[in-house]
């Protein structure tokens, strides 16, 4: 009989490319993951991993087992969720992953209420970028993810995940109090073509949105400084190093030195979406967390 826990470890090794990476993701020691994979090889009678450089990859047998086993694990997860639903209790352990501003402005404020209302439910929280979050949920390494989608900037969500919109958010153009635009009721990208921006790095969803805002101006945003966290953006704007497009969700108070000016044409809005595997749709724990995030 195939050990399902060992199968989970093998899938994690495939996802992370190493036993150490799989162990870190699963909360095990590398030795424990290695032992589980060896036990699985003994049970199946075929080699499942082969070493390549400093990492490992699945053999053809391992690939077949992981692909076919994913269906088994999904079926088992669906059965387990159904049992919990029949019992009517919100319990167990739920792994939740969210982007930084959602962690501060959406997730953290409801965790205490969740723990009070459901003392048998435990949560593990991890902060990651939306694309990473979707991968973690899709591969079974996280149970519930919170991601964002800016306007028409695409974000691919696999078919076996369900989505629930839990909030919407809008970003303002943040400028110093003495900036010429600080007194405006709103601004458009054409008002901003000569400004220097503090922006998130290339490849992030927020950076893509900032670039798309400039469509029709014949220009691209001039990026003066790059920082990952919006708190850093505010600090750099406060220091007079540029302006920034900063969402309201989870944003620290602007204080007396900064002003948030609404933007339009287009308005920088984003949907905040929760994702989970369809096999967990009946889970009372998932439903309870979704309800609190949406309230």
């Amino acid at each position: 009989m195939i050990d399902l826990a060992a199968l989970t470890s093998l899938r994690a090794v495939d996802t992370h490319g190493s036993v150490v990476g799989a162990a870190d993701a699963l909360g095990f020691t590398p030795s424990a993951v290695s032992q589980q994979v060896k036990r699985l090889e003994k049970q199946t009678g075929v080699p499942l991993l082969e070493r390549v450089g400093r990492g490992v990859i699945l053999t053809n047998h391992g690939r077949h087992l992981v692909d076919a086993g994913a269906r088994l694990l999904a079926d088992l997860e669906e059965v387990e969720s159904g049992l919990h639903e029949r019992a009517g209790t919100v319990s167990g352990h739920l792994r939740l992953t969210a982007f930084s501003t959602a962690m501060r402005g959406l997730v953290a404020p409801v965790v205490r209420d969740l723990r009070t209302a459901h003392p048998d439910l435990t949560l593990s929280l991890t902060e990651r970028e939306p694309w990473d979050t979707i991968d973690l949920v899709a591969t079974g390494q996280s149970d519930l993810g919170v991601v964002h989608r800016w306007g028409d900037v695409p974000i691919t969500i696999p078919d076996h995940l369900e989505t629930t919109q839990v909030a919407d958010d809008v970003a303002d153009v943040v400028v110093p109090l003495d900036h010429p635009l600080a007194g405006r009721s709103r601004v458009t990208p054409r008002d901003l073509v000569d400004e220097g921006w503090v922006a998130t790095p290339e490849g992030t969803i927020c950076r893509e949105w900032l670039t798309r805002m400039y469509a029709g101006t014949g220009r691209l945003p001039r990026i003066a400084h790059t920082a990952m966290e919006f708190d850093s953006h505010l600090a750099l704007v406060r220091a007079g190093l540029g302006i920034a497009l900063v969402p309201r969700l989870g944003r620290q108070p602007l204080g007396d030195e900064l002003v948030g000016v609404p933007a339009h044409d287009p308005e920088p809005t984003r949907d905040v979406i929760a994702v989970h595997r369809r096999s967990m749709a009946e889970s009372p724990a998932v439903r309870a967390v979704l309800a609190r995030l949406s309230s």
Side-chain angles (χ1 to χ4, degrees):
M1 181 69 69
I2 292 176
D3 186 323
L4 293 179
L7 180 58
T8 299
S9 291
L10 181 66
R11 182 172 65 174
V13 172
D14 177 42
T15 300
H16 295 280
S18 71
V19 170
V20 172
D24 183 60
L26 296 172
F28 297 155
T29 65
S31 175
V33 172
S34 293
Q35 290 174 10
Q36 286 185 327
V37 173
K38 289 177 181 177
R39 183 164 63 251
L40 198 56
E41 288 181 325
K42 185 176 181 180
Q43 290 170 341
T44 59
V46 295
L48 301 174
L49 292 177
E50 59 180 314
R51 183 165 294 280
V52 176
R54 295 185 177 182
V56 291
I57 62 173
L58 268 62
T59 64
N60 288 336
H61 300 303
R63 169 58 52 205
H64 171 74
L65 183 57
V66 165
D67 291 345
R71 296 190 293 271
L72 293 174
L73 293 173
D75 288 344
L76 182 61
E77 191 169 67
E78 188 170 356
V79 169
E80 185 177 7
S81 296
L83 285 173
H84 289 165
E85 195 274 336
R86 289 172 64 88
T89 58
V90 177
S91 60
H93 182 72
L94 200 68
R95 300 163 297 174
L96 191 155
T97 308
F99 60 96
S100 59
T101 52
M103 189 69 79
R104 293 196 298 270
L106 187 62
V107 176
V110 307
V111 167
R112 178 178 295 179
D113 289 344
L114 277 168
R115 295 176 65 185
T116 299
H118 309 292
D120 294 327
L121 174 66
T122 61
L123 295 170
S124 293
L125 307 179
T126 304
E127 191 173 289
R128 298 290 288 271
E129 282 294 289
W131 287 310
D132 294 333
T133 295
I134 289 173
D135 287 342
L136 290 171
V137 177
T139 57
Q141 298 171 75
S142 183
D143 302 311
L144 188 64
V146 180
V147 302
H148 59 75
R149 180 169 55 204
W150 286 92
D152 62 349
V153 176
I155 184 168
T156 302
I157 299 176
D159 291 340
H160 69 290
L161 301 188
E162 287 192 3
T163 63
T164 304
Q165 184 163 342
V166 295
D168 51 50
D169 192 19
V170 63
D172 297 313
V173 177
V174 178
V175 301
L177 184 63
D178 59 357
H179 193 281
L181 297 175
R184 297 278 294 271
S185 60
R186 63 182 187 175
V187 293
T188 72
R190 294 187 181 279
D191 299 318
L192 306 169
V193 292
D194 295 321
E195 299 290 338
W197 287 92
V198 179
T200 56
E202 284 280 3
T204 59
I205 296 175
C206 298
R207 179 67 167 268
E208 286 194 25
W209 171 253
L210 178 60
T211 300
R212 289 194 181 205
M213 277 184 64
Y214 273 64
T217 65
R219 303 275 291 275
L220 289 173
R222 182 169 64 84
I223 308 302
H225 306 281
T226 301
M228 193 67 209
E229 293 297 326
F230 288 119
D231 284 356
S232 300
H233 291 203
L234 296 181
L236 295 177
V237 174
R238 195 173 284 114
L241 299 179
I243 66 174
L245 187 69
V246 183
R248 296 174 186 174
L249 179 66
R251 187 172 73 192
Q252 64 173 264
L254 298 181
D256 297 331
E257 301 176 79
L258 302 178
V259 175
V261 183
H264 79 116
D265 194 26
E267 183 183 26
T269 59
R270 61 179 179 174
D271 298 326
V272 181
I273 301 166
V275 296
H276 63 83
R277 293 179 295 284
R278 294 186 188 279
S279 52
M280 298 193 73
E282 295 185 5
S283 166
V286 169
R287 290 179 177 178
V289 175
L290 287 176
R292 288 297 301 161
L293 291 176
S294 303
S295 62

